[in-house]
Amino acid sequence: MTEPHDTLIAPSGWRPLDAHPVGAVIAQYATRSFVANDPTGDRLRVRYAVRELLRAESSHATAAAPAALLARVWFGPKAEGPPGHAHGGSMAAVLDEAMGLAVWLAHRAAVAAHLETDFRHPIPLGSTVTAHTTVGPVEGSGKARATARLVGDDGTVYAEGSAVFVLLASRHAFAGGGA
């Protein structure tokens, strides 16, 4: 089984999540997260990274300092579903959390209202993949759509997700960060 060590390092041009003002708030949450709470465990190891939005990406963002988000994710032996491969629920959970955090960075705190996952290939245990996210504009109903893909270093797309998120009012207990 491959140990993650340096494979969780973000690509060039990306910074650790806590280097961003809202990302620092989100990074504190991630330490308690079902998905990203165990950086040395045998289930999932997740490192989030941010970069400034490109001009084409930022036209719809509403946050004060919007940013793009990606995650480097290692699937360990305790994430097993089918023999030797990651459980689909662990893959869906990573997609859900990555999309949700991306919405927080582009707009404000949000919770998932609808989530879809398409599994393309099983992820072998011990693999490190990248979760790439995109976020759409806020819709009139106070919702935002997001997509994410789990992609191997060789370009294999393991899973794709899409979701609708309900944006939370800033007075909500865990809405600290965002616009």
Side-chain angles (χ1 to χ4, degrees), residues 31-108:
T31 64
R32 300 184 312 269
S33 150
F34 169 75
V35 173
N37 71 346
D38 193 359
T40 61
D42 288 334
R43 185 173 42 92
L44 297 171
R45 296 185 194 177
V46 181
R47 272 207 199 129
Y48 292 104
V50 295
R51 66 164 168 72
E52 288 185 29
L53 289 175
L54 304 174
R55 176 167 286 202
E57 297 171 318
S58 64
S59 63
H60 62 269
T62 59
L69 178 114
L70 71 68
R72 293 284 290 162
V73 185
W74 176 78
F75 289 85
K78 291 192 177 173
E80 189 168 27
H85 294 84
H87 190 284
S90 67
M91 296 165 64
V94 167
L95 290 168
D96 174 26
E97 182 166 282
M99 288 186 288
L101 296 180
V103 169
W104 283 35
L105 287 167
H107 301 300
R108 65 176 185 264

